[in-house]
Amino acid sequence: MSSISRDDVAHLARLARLAVTDEELDRFAGQLDQVLAAVARVGEAAAGDVPPMTHAVPLTNVLRADVVTPSLPREAVLAAAPAAEDGRFRVPRILGEAE
Amino acid sequence: MSRRLTAGEVSAAEVTRAHLDRIAAEDGALGAYLHVDADAALAAATAVDESRAAGAELGPLAGVPVALKDLVVTEGVPTTSGSKILEGWRPPYSATIATRLAEAGTVLLGKTNMDEFAMGSSTENSAYGVSRNPWDHDRIPGGSSGGSSSAVAGHLAPWAIGTDTGGSIRQPAAVTGLVGHKPTYGSVSRYGLIAFSSSLDQAGPMARTVLDAALMHEVIGGHDPRDSTSIDSPLFGLADAARAGAAGDLSGVRVGVVRELGGDGHTDGYDPGVLARTREAVELLASLGAEVTEVSCPSFDLALAAYYLIAPSEASSNLARYEGVRFGLRAGDDGSRDLDDVMALTREQGFGPEVKRRIILGTYALSSGYYEAYYGQAQKVRSLIAGEFAAAFAGVDVLVSPTSPTVAWPLGARVEDPISMYAADLCTLPASLAGLPAISVPSGLSEGLPVGLQVMAPALADDRCYRVAAALEAAQDAARGHRLLDELPAAGSAA
């Protein structure tokens, strides 16, 4: 089983949209390496042909009737948003200056 | 309390006022609550009194106060999940279980503290400070539902809702001397519960007696079309099972003691006092007529490893919704940063260290090249565990073990050591992974601190948990002449 380096943690944090600090990288790398070593024990199970279990309840395709039901009022939802404008969520710019 | 309310001996407003007074006096020391709205609670209680005076037919729980773990979404009432990223959020809707409790006439006292997004076993991961154990204020109240356990054991609420992903109802109940039940997965609606690990999360009751827990479970349980994983099946007489158990006859009940959870060769990390209380509890069950055998479930040894891959993986996906756009915190939106940077900064500032660790671990376990070895293999281990439960239940009606390997530990002792923190869940994880019902019931004290016995049952056989737990509770109460919680140092008496 592989171990997890400081660079790995930095890469994973970027993928997970976490702007972690240098101090956090130092701390997390060591801790995650320990945790990973512990959880790698799942590899000890002789589970070759065992089907994976995703869920405790065997349910498939739970559908509701295809009818319109009331949803939350727009004002109530936007009232909880960090920024709203013209009845919509306002977000920071998506494209950089050069694009 | 319900009987005295119904008989008109005490009003809902008086009961609510008494609890609010206790909260005002004690919560500064305990830190059980994150939000209390005394005016709203008294108004709700007064409304119950008025309809009762007007002759309305009210349910047995009308006027009984309740506290909710702060990941139960409540319309207009602040809900944080213990996280800075949701500070100040007032949800536009209510969870099904909150609605059901309100419809039963219960009075919301407030929202209780918790480990951030339910990730933890001590409530020290809350962004809003620690909660303390009423038995010893320098010790943890368990977690993640530690605000609920602190409130109920400290008599700041008669009972409370907790949620349990890997043991977060059972372990805090065990270390504070309460009864806590994790229902069969899918039997209590998850609609409006802030998600941590969706295939494991389940809400349930935390109470001072087995019967109270069963009564609360009957209110919140049952099918909910708004939760697509909700089981469309009735609940089987839980309160009746608790009453039957309290009568004390367990003849014909087959009890299996799980060797891998504290039995011979598997005692590393367990307090000797916890193992002694567990042995005594099993002997007591046998004296009530239960047939006791030892059962071996070898894959339970791998439950911890499987859980700490599956839960962080699901969490890394569930917590993607906190991106600073639709609700909650947004950081760094000063016009100089683009959307990606604002998201990353928002999540960096909004999440605490344990949440970040688990998001990173989950992201790793799900990434290409590692998926099969980690997440995929963990899911196979989950199958093995479920299979061993099924095999065990072919021969016994319930399985028992300690709930927590240790008593409550001192605050701060495990904060910087995730592995030792995770070990607190050793006994509770197998039932979580298999989606089975499991209850923790007090089994006595060790070093002056409460110990819990865990009783696990097959899916939808929650009634067996209540029956066996109530039998143990009644026999121990009778033997010692009072309830365990009466031994709480300087225990106050609420209404």
PDB file of all heavy atoms in Angstrom, chain B residues 37 52 57 72 77 94 98 117 134 140 158 206-207 210 213-214 246 252 280 320 344 388 415 442:
ATOM      1  N   ASP B  37     -34.207  29.350  22.093  1.00  0.00           N
ATOM      2  CA  ASP B  37     -35.127  30.481  21.967  1.00  0.00           C
ATOM      3  C   ASP B  37     -36.215  30.291  23.025  1.00  0.00           C
ATOM      4  O   ASP B  37     -37.219  29.612  22.792  1.00  0.00           O
ATOM      5  CB  ASP B  37     -35.709  30.544  20.551  1.00  0.00           C
ATOM      6  CG  ASP B  37     -36.570  31.800  20.347  1.00  0.00           C
ATOM      7  OD1 ASP B  37     -37.013  32.387  21.359  1.00  0.00           O
ATOM      8  OD2 ASP B  37     -36.807  32.179  19.189  1.00  0.00           O
ATOM      9  N   ARG B  52     -55.241  22.176  25.234  1.00  0.00           N
ATOM     10  CA  ARG B  52     -55.681  21.163  26.195  1.00  0.00           C
ATOM     11  C   ARG B  52     -56.837  21.728  27.040  1.00  0.00           C
ATOM     12  O   ARG B  52     -57.842  21.044  27.274  1.00  0.00           O
ATOM     13  CB  ARG B  52     -54.511  20.750  27.086  1.00  0.00           C
ATOM     14  CG  ARG B  52     -54.800  19.552  27.952  1.00  0.00           C
ATOM     15  CD  ARG B  52     -53.521  19.001  28.595  1.00  0.00           C
ATOM     16  NE  ARG B  52     -52.941  17.891  27.838  1.00  0.00           N
ATOM     17  CZ  ARG B  52     -51.654  17.720  27.598  1.00  0.00           C
ATOM     18  NH1 ARG B  52     -50.777  18.612  28.029  1.00  0.00           N
ATOM     19  NH2 ARG B  52     -51.218  16.679  26.928  1.00  0.00           N
ATOM     20  N   GLU B  57     -58.241  16.952  21.825  1.00  0.00           N
ATOM     21  CA  GLU B  57     -57.638  15.634  22.038  1.00  0.00           C
ATOM     22  C   GLU B  57     -56.166  15.719  21.638  1.00  0.00           C
ATOM     23  O   GLU B  57     -55.839  15.816  20.462  1.00  0.00           O
ATOM     24  CB  GLU B  57     -58.340  14.590  21.164  1.00  0.00           C
ATOM     25  CG  GLU B  57     -59.670  14.098  21.700  1.00  0.00           C
ATOM     26  CD  GLU B  57     -59.500  13.172  22.901  1.00  0.00           C
ATOM     27  OE1 GLU B  57     -58.624  12.286  22.838  1.00  0.00           O
ATOM     28  OE2 GLU B  57     -60.205  13.360  23.917  1.00  0.00           O
ATOM     29  N   VAL B  72     -30.339  18.676  12.459  1.00  0.00           N
ATOM     30  CA  VAL B  72     -31.741  18.516  12.066  1.00  0.00           C
ATOM     31  C   VAL B  72     -32.229  19.884  11.620  1.00  0.00           C
ATOM     32  O   VAL B  72     -32.282  20.825  12.411  1.00  0.00           O
ATOM     33  CB  VAL B  72     -32.589  18.001  13.245  1.00  0.00           C
ATOM     34  CG1 VAL B  72     -34.042  17.825  12.808  1.00  0.00           C
ATOM     35  CG2 VAL B  72     -32.030  16.688  13.784  1.00  0.00           C
ATOM     36  N   VAL B  77     -35.151  28.449  12.238  1.00  0.00           N
ATOM     37  CA  VAL B  77     -34.349  28.310  13.467  1.00  0.00           C
ATOM     38  C   VAL B  77     -32.912  27.990  13.059  1.00  0.00           C
ATOM     39  O   VAL B  77     -32.682  27.042  12.295  1.00  0.00           O
ATOM     40  CB  VAL B  77     -34.908  27.176  14.361  1.00  0.00           C
ATOM     41  CG1 VAL B  77     -34.050  27.022  15.618  1.00  0.00           C
ATOM     42  CG2 VAL B  77     -36.358  27.450  14.731  1.00  0.00           C
ATOM     43  N   SER B  94     -38.216  22.383   7.129  1.00  0.00           N
ATOM     44  CA  SER B  94     -37.935  21.558   8.305  1.00  0.00           C
ATOM     45  C   SER B  94     -37.764  20.095   7.923  1.00  0.00           C
ATOM     46  O   SER B  94     -38.420  19.594   6.999  1.00  0.00           O
ATOM     47  CB  SER B  94     -39.081  21.656   9.322  1.00  0.00           C
ATOM     48  OG  SER B  94     -39.024  22.879  10.005  1.00  0.00           O
ATOM     49  N   ALA B  98     -38.387  16.631  12.551  1.00  0.00           N
ATOM     50  CA  ALA B  98     -38.715  17.840  13.317  1.00  0.00           C
ATOM     51  C   ALA B  98     -40.208  18.135  13.189  1.00  0.00           C
ATOM     52  O   ALA B  98     -40.876  18.494  14.159  1.00  0.00           O
ATOM     53  CB  ALA B  98     -37.891  19.026  12.818  1.00  0.00           C
ATOM     54  N   PHE B 117     -20.316  18.582  11.349  1.00  0.00           N
ATOM     55  CA  PHE B 117     -20.880  17.639  10.371  1.00  0.00           C
ATOM     56  C   PHE B 117     -20.902  16.203  10.906  1.00  0.00           C
ATOM     57  O   PHE B 117     -20.818  15.240  10.149  1.00  0.00           O
ATOM     58  CB  PHE B 117     -20.161  17.711   9.022  1.00  0.00           C
ATOM     59  CG  PHE B 117     -20.486  18.962   8.272  1.00  0.00           C
ATOM     60  CD1 PHE B 117     -19.552  19.988   8.148  1.00  0.00           C
ATOM     61  CD2 PHE B 117     -21.743  19.152   7.727  1.00  0.00           C
ATOM     62  CE1 PHE B 117     -19.868  21.168   7.489  1.00  0.00           C
ATOM     63  CE2 PHE B 117     -22.060  20.332   7.063  1.00  0.00           C
ATOM     64  CZ  PHE B 117     -21.120  21.335   6.945  1.00  0.00           C
ATOM     65  N   PRO B 134     -21.786  15.674  32.064  1.00  0.00           N
ATOM     66  CA  PRO B 134     -22.332  16.025  33.382  1.00  0.00           C
ATOM     67  C   PRO B 134     -21.742  15.190  34.520  1.00  0.00           C
ATOM     68  O   PRO B 134     -21.771  15.626  35.674  1.00  0.00           O
ATOM     69  CB  PRO B 134     -23.829  15.757  33.231  1.00  0.00           C
ATOM     70  CG  PRO B 134     -24.090  15.857  31.767  1.00  0.00           C
ATOM     71  CD  PRO B 134     -22.841  15.355  31.100  1.00  0.00           C
ATOM     72  N   ILE B 140     -15.141  14.301  28.129  1.00  0.00           N
ATOM     73  CA  ILE B 140     -15.974  14.453  26.930  1.00  0.00           C
ATOM     74  C   ILE B 140     -17.338  13.796  27.171  1.00  0.00           C
ATOM     75  O   ILE B 140     -17.452  12.828  27.928  1.00  0.00           O
ATOM     76  CB  ILE B 140     -15.289  13.837  25.697  1.00  0.00           C
ATOM     77  CG1 ILE B 140     -15.003  12.343  25.945  1.00  0.00           C
ATOM     78  CG2 ILE B 140     -13.982  14.548  25.374  1.00  0.00           C
ATOM     79  CD1 ILE B 140     -15.788  11.399  25.135  1.00  0.00           C
ATOM     80  N   PRO B 158     -35.542  16.604  28.675  1.00  0.00           N
ATOM     81  CA  PRO B 158     -35.946  15.259  29.097  1.00  0.00           C
ATOM     82  C   PRO B 158     -35.455  14.181  28.129  1.00  0.00           C
ATOM     83  O   PRO B 158     -35.258  13.036  28.521  1.00  0.00           O
ATOM     84  CB  PRO B 158     -37.470  15.324  29.134  1.00  0.00           C
ATOM     85  CG  PRO B 158     -37.843  16.500  28.299  1.00  0.00           C
ATOM     86  CD  PRO B 158     -36.684  17.448  28.289  1.00  0.00           C
ATOM     87  N   MET B 206     -32.377   9.740  22.129  1.00  0.00           N
ATOM     88  CA  MET B 206     -31.486   9.658  23.289  1.00  0.00           C
ATOM     89  C   MET B 206     -32.322  10.070  24.494  1.00  0.00           C
ATOM     90  O   MET B 206     -32.908  11.152  24.500  1.00  0.00           O
ATOM     91  CB  MET B 206     -30.282  10.581  23.105  1.00  0.00           C
ATOM     92  CG  MET B 206     -29.494  10.235  21.837  1.00  0.00           C
ATOM     93  SD  MET B 206     -28.154  11.382  21.463  1.00  0.00           S
ATOM     94  CE  MET B 206     -26.972  10.919  22.722  1.00  0.00           C
ATOM     95  N   ALA B 207     -32.387   9.198  25.493  1.00  0.00           N
ATOM     96  CA  ALA B 207     -33.327   9.420  26.591  1.00  0.00           C
ATOM     97  C   ALA B 207     -32.773   8.843  27.884  1.00  0.00           C
ATOM     98  O   ALA B 207     -31.748   8.154  27.890  1.00  0.00           O
ATOM     99  CB  ALA B 207     -34.671   8.785  26.255  1.00  0.00           C
ATOM    100  N   VAL B 210     -35.351   3.441  28.716  1.00  0.00           N
ATOM    101  CA  VAL B 210     -35.592   2.695  27.481  1.00  0.00           C
ATOM    102  C   VAL B 210     -36.995   3.011  26.942  1.00  0.00           C
ATOM    103  O   VAL B 210     -37.177   3.203  25.739  1.00  0.00           O
ATOM    104  CB  VAL B 210     -35.436   1.176  27.740  1.00  0.00           C
ATOM    105  CG1 VAL B 210     -35.790   0.384  26.488  1.00  0.00           C
ATOM    106  CG2 VAL B 210     -34.007   0.857  28.181  1.00  0.00           C
ATOM    107  N   ALA B 213     -37.118   6.315  25.158  1.00  0.00           N
ATOM    108  CA  ALA B 213     -36.486   6.212  23.839  1.00  0.00           C
ATOM    109  C   ALA B 213     -37.448   5.567  22.838  1.00  0.00           C
ATOM    110  O   ALA B 213     -37.589   6.031  21.698  1.00  0.00           O
ATOM    111  CB  ALA B 213     -35.188   5.406  23.932  1.00  0.00           C
ATOM    112  N   ALA B 214     -38.149   4.517  23.279  1.00  0.00           N
ATOM    113  CA  ALA B 214     -39.077   3.828  22.382  1.00  0.00           C
ATOM    114  C   ALA B 214     -40.237   4.751  21.996  1.00  0.00           C
ATOM    115  O   ALA B 214     -40.674   4.770  20.835  1.00  0.00           O
ATOM    116  CB  ALA B 214     -39.610   2.561  23.063  1.00  0.00           C
ATOM    117  N   ALA B 246     -39.372  -4.781  30.478  1.00  0.00           N
ATOM    118  CA  ALA B 246     -39.269  -4.330  31.864  1.00  0.00           C
ATOM    119  C   ALA B 246     -39.932  -5.316  32.824  1.00  0.00           C
ATOM    120  O   ALA B 246     -39.604  -5.352  34.010  1.00  0.00           O
ATOM    121  CB  ALA B 246     -39.888  -2.945  32.008  1.00  0.00           C
ATOM    122  N   GLY B 252     -36.385 -17.883  26.521  1.00  0.00           N
ATOM    123  CA  GLY B 252     -36.465 -18.161  25.090  1.00  0.00           C
ATOM    124  C   GLY B 252     -35.706 -17.167  24.233  1.00  0.00           C
ATOM    125  O   GLY B 252     -35.534 -17.390  23.039  1.00  0.00           O
ATOM    126  N   GLU B 280     -21.070  -8.807  33.626  1.00  0.00           N
ATOM    127  CA  GLU B 280     -22.137  -8.819  34.623  1.00  0.00           C
ATOM    128  C   GLU B 280     -23.507  -8.631  33.970  1.00  0.00           C
ATOM    129  O   GLU B 280     -24.491  -9.269  34.359  1.00  0.00           O
ATOM    130  CB  GLU B 280     -21.910  -7.703  35.662  1.00  0.00           C
ATOM    131  CG  GLU B 280     -20.688  -7.934  36.551  1.00  0.00           C
ATOM    132  CD  GLU B 280     -20.120  -6.627  37.105  1.00  0.00           C
ATOM    133  OE1 GLU B 280     -20.813  -5.594  37.031  1.00  0.00           O
ATOM    134  OE2 GLU B 280     -18.979  -6.657  37.592  1.00  0.00           O
ATOM    135  N   ALA B 320     -19.483  18.601  -0.937  1.00  0.00           N
ATOM    136  CA  ALA B 320     -19.202  19.437  -2.102  1.00  0.00           C
ATOM    137  C   ALA B 320     -20.230  20.562  -2.231  1.00  0.00           C
ATOM    138  O   ALA B 320     -19.988  21.559  -2.904  1.00  0.00           O
ATOM    139  CB  ALA B 320     -19.200  18.584  -3.370  1.00  0.00           C
ATOM    140  N   ALA B 344     -12.632  27.747  -2.905  1.00  0.00           N
ATOM    141  CA  ALA B 344     -11.551  27.117  -2.133  1.00  0.00           C
ATOM    142  C   ALA B 344     -11.300  27.877  -0.839  1.00  0.00           C
ATOM    143  O   ALA B 344     -11.051  27.280   0.212  1.00  0.00           O
ATOM    144  CB  ALA B 344     -10.276  27.040  -2.973  1.00  0.00           C
ATOM    145  N   GLU B 388     -21.806 -11.906   7.977  1.00  0.00           N
ATOM    146  CA  GLU B 388     -21.559 -12.517   9.292  1.00  0.00           C
ATOM    147  C   GLU B 388     -22.684 -12.204  10.277  1.00  0.00           C
ATOM    148  O   GLU B 388     -23.021 -13.034  11.125  1.00  0.00           O
ATOM    149  CB  GLU B 388     -20.189 -12.074   9.829  1.00  0.00           C
ATOM    150  CG  GLU B 388     -19.063 -12.739   9.046  1.00  0.00           C
ATOM    151  CD  GLU B 388     -17.676 -12.261   9.468  1.00  0.00           C
ATOM    152  OE1 GLU B 388     -17.550 -11.547  10.482  1.00  0.00           O
ATOM    153  OE2 GLU B 388     -16.714 -12.598   8.754  1.00  0.00           O
ATOM    154  N   VAL B 415      -7.384  14.745  20.769  1.00  0.00           N
ATOM    155  CA  VAL B 415      -7.680  15.700  19.699  1.00  0.00           C
ATOM    156  C   VAL B 415      -6.682  15.644  18.543  1.00  0.00           C
ATOM    157  O   VAL B 415      -7.044  15.736  17.380  1.00  0.00           O
ATOM    158  CB  VAL B 415      -7.765  17.130  20.273  1.00  0.00           C
ATOM    159  CG1 VAL B 415      -7.823  18.158  19.152  1.00  0.00           C
ATOM    160  CG2 VAL B 415      -8.992  17.272  21.161  1.00  0.00           C
ATOM    161  N   PRO B 442     -27.402   1.648  29.813  1.00  0.00           N
ATOM    162  CA  PRO B 442     -26.400   1.658  30.873  1.00  0.00           C
ATOM    163  C   PRO B 442     -26.218   0.281  31.505  1.00  0.00           C
ATOM    164  O   PRO B 442     -27.194  -0.457  31.715  1.00  0.00           O
ATOM    165  CB  PRO B 442     -26.988   2.635  31.898  1.00  0.00           C
ATOM    166  CG  PRO B 442     -27.868   3.528  31.105  1.00  0.00           C
ATOM    167  CD  PRO B 442     -28.450   2.655  30.024  1.00  0.00           C
TER     168      PRO B 442
END
